[in-house]
Amino acid sequence: MKALNIAYYTILRNFRDYKTLLLMLALPIMLIATMGSALGSVFTPGDMSVTTICYLDEDKGFMSQSFEEFLESEEISKMMQYKTAASKEEAFELIKDGRAVALIVLPANLSEDIQKGGKASIEVYNSKYSSFRESIVQSTINGFVNGTNAQLVLRQMGAVSQEYEMFDNIEETAVTAEGNAPRAIDYYAVTMLVMTIMYGTGYGNFAMKEEKRLNTSIRLASAPVNYLEVVLGKLAGSVVSVFLQGMVIIAFTKLVFNVNWGGSLGLIIFVCFSASLMSVGLGMMVSNLGKNPQATGGLLNLGVSITTFLAGGYFPSSQMGPAMEKLGHISPNYLAQQAMFNTIYGGSTAQTTNLIITIWAIVIAAFIIAGLTERRSAN
Amino acid sequence: MTILINNLKRLSRDKFTFIVMLLLPIIFISFSMYAMGGSTPLRVAIIDKDNTRLTSMLTEGLKNGTDILEVQEQDIKQMLINGKLDYAVKINEGFTEAIINGRDTKLETMSLKETNTSIPIKLYIESFVNSSKNIAAAAKGNEGEFYRGMELYVSNMVSADYQSIENTERDTKSNTYLSLGFMVMFMLFMSTNAATLVLEDKYLKTYGRVLSSPISARSYFMQNLLSYIVITFIQVCVIFAILIFVFKADMGPSIGNILVLFLVFALTSVALGLAVSSLTNDLRQNNALSYLITIPLCMLGGCFWPRDIMPSILRQLSNFTPVTWVLSASEKLLYGGSLADIGSELMILLLFTLVFMIVGSNKNIMMKA
Amino acid sequence: MVVEIKDLVKRYGDFLAVDNISLSIDDGEIFGLLGPNGAGKTTAINCMIGMQKQDKGQIKLFGQDFTGREGSIKKEIGIVPQDLALYWDLTCYENVSFFAKLYGLKDGLLRSRVQEALEFTGLWDRRKDLAKKLSGGMKRRLNIACAIVHQPKLIIMDEPTVGIDPQSRNHILQSVKELNKKGSTIIYTSHYMEEVEELCSRIAIMDHGKLIAKGTKEELKAFITVEEKTEFELSSVNYTITDTVKQVSGVKDCVVDGSRLTVISEKNSRNLSKIIDCISAAEADILSMNIEKPTLETVFLTLTGRTLRD
């Protein structure tokens, strides 16, 4: 009961500073609004722009003819255009400048070598850094090489007269991302919600240190209240303060921006609550590891900015390269974000469960460390 | 000088925090230097229910140029939607047998409607299956004959020979540019943080005492400014040293010029920090306000993404942030510009500094507490 | 017996904060705990109310051992900390009722007790104001209101009058007397001698962690002072005066310093008129005269060789 009383007054005090509270809520909402509208293009999966390659024909045989036919076929020309290069050097320049992805060389005597039945190869020069487009080039060339090889095999198997036939080989199902993947505003609503919750580390940081600073720790210690009750009360008050801010953001973005929070709002709210606990717990832990609550407060704010960034809160980390995306997985923000995305867009339940378990593991670890480093003295 | 030294002492008083504060940006930038850049190759999932020599030949062939992911069948759709997968292939049981016996059979595949990125994979698979069907026809249902043909097929009588040309130069420069963006972000965060000492002075009521001493408000302000600049600049130098000596980053023709630019920006960011802290009365408000200001500044200014991807209104708006100018100046310097080329950027930064200092040193605002 | 302390020792590392203190405080008294800053008063109190664990010694409150009965004992204690201990962003009413609830007060009783405490400290009209908006004296009073709202039997006031204006100070001193009249036992620590002299029936003096004296005001003075000192400022001094004064019964010494004559007599000699006779006989005018009676200040000075305000 007394813990509840302490929690109630903690919330009352946190919310009485309504200027700060408004600022803390205005920041994420403003960011959701601007980035949600400004960065739309990053989120809608779209057609890949046409990849440019250079082509140098030193063969001038039947292979060059069939390769050009291949490049000009309808399906290929939709995604790849070629420039005929005069020399390798010229093509390398274009690649260095980023104006072409690769150079494809049909070496002299290619057709002749193939005719003779010996080994032959097409040369592909590419830069090692643009692996996505390069991957496209590679798959395309391999497709061409496959066809050529098949014809050679047929010839060797003695089926010279057999016509190379085209079959129907693939039954393709297309899934659509529309409504199944977050739009920019949906994405930022989630990441900024998590960011706001993580800024709740500030409440954890101040929770106990503040009592010492206000000297009220003396009163609390002299009152007939268990110390554990005091800690629990402060903790609950801080967690609820953070959690309520999260709820405000969810409600506001849902009603005003029409953000998609999915069908199972209950689970989203539970993730919010777990994240609030994690955030307050981490705040208390860092607060106890440092000395001066002002300094640790600054540190936590800096830390939250970093974890938000790493988890792709400001800009999707998947757009910053695979290593960066993996690095983002160490961020506590990632756990909560991914759990929410999974919940909203029907992702793997097993993964969601693991994420939530990880959050709770962090909660427990943070509180154990905070408890071990708590200096109880009133002075 | 008294306040300068005192501030340095105060900032370093809490060892744990001070060390982490100093190390955090360095670690972060080192990490991102290491992790940034590159993009994921096309990713393919293969659900192989048939498991034959033929299907493993297909898988092996796909490994050339794409990443094969181990994926549960039920997760495929979600992964495609989330952009974690580009293409999925399902090989049903009996597929190989049907091919050898010349019966019509198809692979089930799945891709995202909105994008064409997976077409090359589709083409590859199409050509592979088509070839095997043709070879099967030539083998006339004889399995041994069929696999002899397939072996020959995958032995690539004609092959593609990949060679990479070195163009590392372009890439490290863009990485250096990115890490400079992060550095700008940290400088803003740090300076708004460090400036909280003024607030602590207000809280401890030592502020009034300082102002009533022979030290003038201006001198107090200037010395505060100086102490944060010293700290920020030490950090900048350490990060530069790491970028250059550990990551062999290409800093353009003159490291000195970039240092000059960042010294000027250290001034701007610290002035901004003091301006923010002079507008608020307590720490929580200051924290809230400083993040309300610095994060959008970083975003608009292009710390996280190229400014070009933003709509033109935001791009125009970004001209009103110092971040835009420090980043465009550092881009110029990286690609061979001289100090003279960034003259206008430096002027604009100094102008920002001046404005922030006027806001921050306004005695009326400062006495409000 | 409200408080009984035996052989209390508290160390901080090598520093001996409280060195073997024993004292007892009776029901209904105002007990003064006197000593300069850093003498160990606050530490002793913290041990008394169970906020710090003593290294050695026994503490009994209301005749009971503290350990095991924290809850019921703490309920009977109210503490007014030396530094203001308030939530600045709560109103006066909220501050007082928050602490009242910690002592288990509820509903009607809660409301009436909070009102009582605020009226007692003269803050009822300001109940809706935030604590940070109050003047210095009012903050001190709110600091007291928070401690007495649960009507404790024992009130511990640790320097409750530091740094406030004389008016608020008088108000607080009056309140202390009133609280005592209502039946509370009060422990009052201060380094203001006058306050202790005015309020307290019994006094203990601490210095460097040691209890150097205890007793009633009179006992302490009697215990310490053996001599009385009288100073005269004279128009002219001639040395025959010293000779005659020295003849007066009870006078132990007589010293001349410029125009000042200092006479030291044995305690209770009642010889002042005779001394004055000697001076007038020497035809010197008395410009001023100062009889130094022992005060707690002199008691402290004699005991420790330093003044309290050091």
Side-chain angles (χ1 to χ4, degrees), chain C residues 97-116:
Chain C
S97 61
F98 170 71
F99 290 111
K101 284 177 191 166
L102 290 187
Y103 284 88
L105 297 182
K106 270 184 220 148
D107 309 322
L109 186 63
L110 171 76
R111 281 192 291 277
S112 65
R113 286 282 173 82
V114 171
Q115 182 170 357
E116 237 173 278

Side-chain angles (χ1 to χ4, degrees), chain A residues 154 158-165, chain B residues 133-140:
Chain A
L154 289 181
V160 194
S161 58
Q162 190 182 325
E163 190 72 11
Y164 185 79
E165 247 184 287
Chain B
K133 281 180 178 171
N134 277 297
I135 292 169
K140 300 189 172 66

Side-chain angles (χ1 to χ4, degrees), chain A residues 59 62-63 108-120 152 155-156, chain B residues 157-158:
Chain A
D59 177 45
F62 69 88
M63 279 303 284
N109 305 327
L110 178 69
S111 302
E112 225 169 288
D113 287 347
I114 290 173
Q115 211 81 80
K116 283 181 196 152
K119 288 247 169 195
L152 293 174
R155 225 174 51 196
Q156 290 221 353
Chain B
M157 285 173 288
V158 179

Side-chain angles (χ1 to χ4, degrees), chain B residues 49-110:
Chain B
K49 293 261 167 79
D50 202 27
N51 264 322
T52 61
R53 261 171 84 190
L54 181 69
T55 61
S56 64
M57 279 173 178
L58 174 63
T59 312
E60 281 305 310
L62 275 172
K63 273 185 188 160
N64 218 339
T66 60
D67 273 2
I68 308 289
L69 303 188
E70 289 285 334
V71 174
Q72 296 299 309
E73 195 176 346
Q74 66 268 23
D75 296 338
I76 286 176
K77 194 174 164 194
Q78 197 54 41
M79 290 181 76
L80 284 168
I81 289 167
N82 292 341
K84 308 243 179 254
L85 188 66
D86 296 295
Y87 204 70
V89 189
K90 187 180 170 193
I91 309 170
N92 284 319
E93 214 181 323
F95 170 75
T96 310
E97 200 239 321
I99 286 198
I100 294 173
N101 295 324
R103 283 201 309 273
D104 185 33
T105 183
K106 282 178 193 167
L107 290 176
E108 287 174 31
T109 63
M110 202 182 258

Side-chain angles (χ1 to χ4, degrees), chain A residues 20 48 76 119-120 122 124-126 131 135 149 165 167 169 171-173 175-176 291-292 309 315 345, chain B residues 14 39 65 78 87 107 109 111 113-114 116 123 130 133-134 155-159 161 163-165 305:
Chain A
T20 308
M48 179 82 187
I76 301 296
K119 288 247 169 195
I122 298 173
V124 184
Y125 299 88
N126 48 21
S131 60
S135 172
N149 275 324
E165 247 184 287
F167 298 95
N169 303 308
E171 192 175 287
E172 181 135 311
T173 320
V175 294
T176 176
K291 257 187 264 167
N292 176 2
F309 176 83
F315 193 65
Y345 301 102
Chain B
D14 189 343
S39 55
Q78 197 54 41
Y87 204 70
L107 290 176
T109 63
S111 67
K113 197 175 97 187
E114 281 84 357
N116 64 0
L123 284 177
N130 206 59
K133 281 180 178 171
N134 277 297
S155 74
N156 281 336
M157 285 173 288
V158 179
S159 63
D161 181 18
Q163 291 169 30
S164 64
I165 59 163
W305 52 70

Side-chain angles (χ1 to χ4, degrees), chain C residues 53-73:
Chain C
K53 191 84 195 112
Q54 67 265 33
D55 294 314
K56 228 187 81 188
Q58 239 190 347
I59 298 170
K60 276 189 179 174
L61 293 170
F62 310 107
Q64 291 175 311
D65 228 3
F66 198 85
T67 36
R69 293 191 185 75
E70 280 99 345
S72 59
I73 291 180

Side-chain angles (χ1 to χ4, degrees), chain B residues 29-211:
Chain B
I29 290 176
S30 310
F31 258 119
S32 47
M33 203 51 196
Y34 169 76
M36 284 301 272
S39 55
T40 327
L42 289 165
R43 290 149 304 181
V44 183
I46 300 174
I47 307 292
D48 189 353
K49 293 261 167 79
D50 202 27
N51 264 322
T52 61
R53 261 171 84 190
L54 181 69
T55 61
S56 64
M57 279 173 178
L58 174 63
T59 312
E60 281 305 310
L62 275 172
K63 273 185 188 160
N64 218 339
T66 60
D67 273 2
I68 308 289
L69 303 188
E70 289 285 334
V71 174
Q72 296 299 309
E73 195 176 346
Q74 66 268 23
D75 296 338
I76 286 176
K77 194 174 164 194
Q78 197 54 41
M79 290 181 76
L80 284 168
I81 289 167
N82 292 341
K84 308 243 179 254
L85 188 66
D86 296 295
Y87 204 70
V89 189
K90 187 180 170 193
I91 309 170
N92 284 319
E93 214 181 323
F95 170 75
T96 310
E97 200 239 321
I99 286 198
I100 294 173
N101 295 324
R103 283 201 309 273
D104 185 33
T105 183
K106 282 178 193 167
L107 290 176
E108 287 174 31
T109 63
M110 202 182 258
S111 67
L112 197 64
K113 197 175 97 187
E114 281 84 357
T115 171
N116 64 0
T117 46
S118 60
I119 288 181
I121 308 171
K122 187 179 164 186
L123 284 177
Y124 178 86
I125 294 172
E126 189 113 41
S127 73
F128 182 90
V129 178
N130 206 59
S131 304
S132 42
K133 281 180 178 171
N134 277 297
I135 292 169
K140 300 189 172 66
N142 181 329
E143 193 176 339
E145 191 71 4
F146 170 71
Y147 275 118
R148 259 191 298 284
M150 283 309 290
E151 288 296 347
L152 208 54
Y153 172 70
V154 296
S155 74
N156 281 336
M157 285 173 288
V158 179
S159 63
D161 181 18
Y162 294 94
Q163 291 169 30
S164 64
I165 59 163
E166 285 309 315
N167 66 345
T168 45
E169 191 195 358
R170 186 170 65 92
D171 217 76
T172 55
K173 264 189 184 157
S174 68
N175 257 8
T176 309
Y177 179 67
L178 271 169
S179 46
L180 289 182
F182 294 153
M183 194 148 81
V184 165
M185 170 178 83
F186 275 110
M187 285 169 78
L188 288 174
F189 285 159
M190 291 299 292
S191 59
T192 46
N193 253 320
T196 55
L197 277 186
V198 176
L199 284 172
E200 201 182 35
D201 276 353
K202 284 183 185 175
Y203 178 82
L204 295 173
K205 303 279 187 316
T206 46
Y207 184 66
R209 189 168 296 157
V210 170
L211 288 194

